[in-house]
Amino acid sequence: MRRSDFEKKEKSFWLPCGQKALRSSKDVVLEAVGEYGPALEYASKELQGDQEVVLKAVRQDGTALEHASEDLLTDRDFLLQAVKQTKAWWLCRFADSELQEDEEFERQCKETAGTGIVFTYYDRYTCFEGMRLAFRTAGASVPGGEAYDMVMEELKHPLGEGSTATVWFGDEPVFGHAAADGAWVHPSHDCGRDEVSVPAMEERDAKWHSTVDSRSVSLEPQAGEKYKCWCCHWLREVRRHHEDGEAICCAISNIYREDWVLFHGAGSSELSDEDAEKHGLPKETFRNGRPDGWGKGQIRIDGHDFDRRAPVHPRTQKPLGVGCRWERQALDGMEFPVYAFFKP
């Protein structure tokens, strides 16, 4: 157990052993699971079967459902109610084994969860970690920078099922997410450029007015040549992970540990409306809304405070995370929910 987890449980009135009266007190347990959902593990058997208690725990951290009673984990109506309150279709992964194998029930859960980026557990680091350990997930979007490779390693947890939906072409020139000086932005579906012969200049529409770029070069696309579109491949890869049964997630920062901010320049990619207007960038809007304080002040996660404002690049003088913000808009347009977390 990590020290921060122990402190949360201690704060939630839990002791490693004893205190039966506390573990059987509904008022105490409700307060405890409201602060730290997985504290449900220490509740009495009776309260682990109490719908009000379990729903409160699951709203705080969906992975707390694993500590619910067997009766609740076989109750379709209760589980669908939990999905409706959290938009977490993957709660079915904690259901009774028979329900886990029921494709129709999984379809119902996904339909109940809806679409778009979901921020239910945005500031709950232990939830993302618990998901990766419990079932197959994919980190579809993770901010880059110097910390990128290390974040990728952390997502591929040796004890879990974490994976990524990242596609990269190295030194091969590819189309990016914007064209025509930003007037055209790649949609949430294939754009029509991927490995398609580039038309003559006079026949090109906005999506073709872009360079093709690699890690080492930037070129004007030549008529008759074919180039890959990075975005099309990434979108297909995200959908492939979803079709394979993985829960699709995205991270808004590349701050895995607090000291990464200092040593690796890790930071947030949240963009407030004020900063978007100041820098002439699109405002971030999402189907399901966004957390309060977006792009401003600090967010407290796992006992630590992190700046929410995207740092400004010293050369471009633009907030970092341009590609990540496009990815978020594309994910928000998907036909399934995507779960956002501040920390990967």
Side-chain angles (χ1 to χ4, degrees):
M1 181 189 302
R2 295 180 304 164
R3 176 174 175 77
S4 56
D5 288 348
F6 181 81
E7 288 170 347
K8 286 181 181 178
K9 290 177 182 178
E10 188 176 48
K11 183 180 178 183
S12 301
F13 313 111
W14 294 115
L15 298 175
C17 58
Q19 300 297 325
K20 183 176 180 180
L22 290 179
R23 291 188 283 114
S24 300
S25 168
K26 185 171 180 176
D27 288 341
V28 171
V29 172
L30 280 171
E31 185 172 353
V33 299
E35 293 182 358
Y36 181 64
L40 182 64
E41 177 183 3
Y42 299 92
S44 67
K45 294 295 184 184
E46 179 182 0
L47 292 179
Q48 287 176 344
D50 185 291
Q51 291 195 14
E52 181 184 1
V53 170
V54 175
L55 282 173
K56 189 165 186 178
V58 170
R59 286 196 299 269
Q60 202 283 328
D61 183 333
T63 66
L65 188 60
E66 67 177 318
H67 304 301
S69 70
E70 188 64 26
D71 284 346
L72 291 184
L73 296 181
T74 59
D75 187 330
R76 288 172 177 263
D77 291 339
F78 169 76
L79 292 170
L80 286 171
Q81 182 182 359
V83 171
K84 184 176 181 179
Q85 291 191 21
T86 61
K87 294 184 179 292
W89 73 262
W90 45 264
L91 293 179
C92 66
R93 294 284 189 255
F94 295 102
D96 170 77
S97 57
E98 184 175 334
L99 279 181
Q100 287 188 39
E101 296 171 3
D102 187 328
E103 293 182 2
E104 174 59 21
F105 179 63
E106 181 174 309
R107 186 198 64 76
Q108 287 181 298
C109 288
K110 289 181 177 179
E111 185 176 284
T112 301
T115 60
I117 293 184
V118 176
F119 292 96
T120 304
Y121 304 115
Y122 187 57
D123 60 351
R124 322 286 163 77
Y125 171 70
T126 54
C127 184
F128 195 7
E129 185 179 47
M131 290 169 66
R132 297 200 298 272
L133 289 171
F135 51 83
R136 294 171 60 196
T137 64
S141 178
V142 179
E146 293 181 25
Y148 182 77
D149 289 341
M150 289 172 287
V151 173
M152 291 297 99
E153 287 303 312
E154 295 290 354
L155 287 179
K156 298 173 183 176
H157 197 296
L159 299 179
E161 296 287 348
S163 56
T164 69
T166 299
V167 178
W168 186 248
F169 297 93
D171 292 324
E172 181 181 357
V174 296
F175 283 111
H177 72 278
D181 293 327
W184 179 89
V185 178
H186 199 292
S188 295
H189 51 78
D190 283 9
C191 69
R193 298 177 304 179
D194 184 49
E195 299 190 283
V196 173
S197 295
V198 176
M201 184 63 72
E202 62 273 12
E203 298 172 359
R204 297 180 190 179
D205 58 25
K207 68 176 176 287
W208 297 103
H209 295 306
S210 168
T211 56
V212 285
D213 302 284
S214 73
R215 292 180 178 179
S216 55
V217 298
S218 180
L219 305 170
E220 290 292 331
Q222 299 299 306
E225 293 293 322
K226 296 180 180 180
Y227 304 92
K228 290 183 174 66
C229 173
W230 180 88
C231 301
C232 287
H233 283 260
W234 178 79
L235 289 165
R236 292 173 203 153
E237 187 70 0
V238 172
R239 288 188 167 93
R240 183 186 68 79
H241 281 278
H242 173 71
E243 289 165 4
D244 285 347
E246 299 180 25
I248 306 300
C249 303
C250 69
I252 310 299
S253 83
N254 56 7
I255 310 170
Y256 191 80
R257 290 201 300 268
E258 191 174 26
D259 59 3
W260 284 20
V261 177
L262 176 63
F263 292 112
H264 306 297
S268 169
S269 63
E270 288 187 8
L271 184 69
S272 68
D273 289 347
E274 292 80 358
D275 280 345
E277 187 171 347
K278 175 182 176 181
H279 293 281
L281 298 171
K283 295 180 181 179
E284 289 200 272
T285 59
F286 305 100
R287 292 182 184 183
N288 298 309
R290 64 189 188 190
D292 292 338
W294 188 261
K296 302 176 183 178
Q298 293 186 316
I299 186 169
R300 188 166 185 81
I301 299 177
D302 207 29
H304 302 283
D305 295 316
F306 301 96
D307 290 332
R308 303 183 69 167
R309 188 179 187 182
V312 173
H313 192 285
R315 178 176 56 81
T316 67
Q317 291 301 301
K318 296 285 188 181
L320 295 177
V322 174
C324 299
R325 288 189 283 276
W326 171 79
E327 290 174 354
R328 290 201 283 272
Q329 292 306 308
L331 291 170
D332 198 52
M334 293 287 192
E335 57 277 8
F336 46 81
V338 174
Y339 301 94
F341 298 88
F342 183 83
K343 285 179 62 178

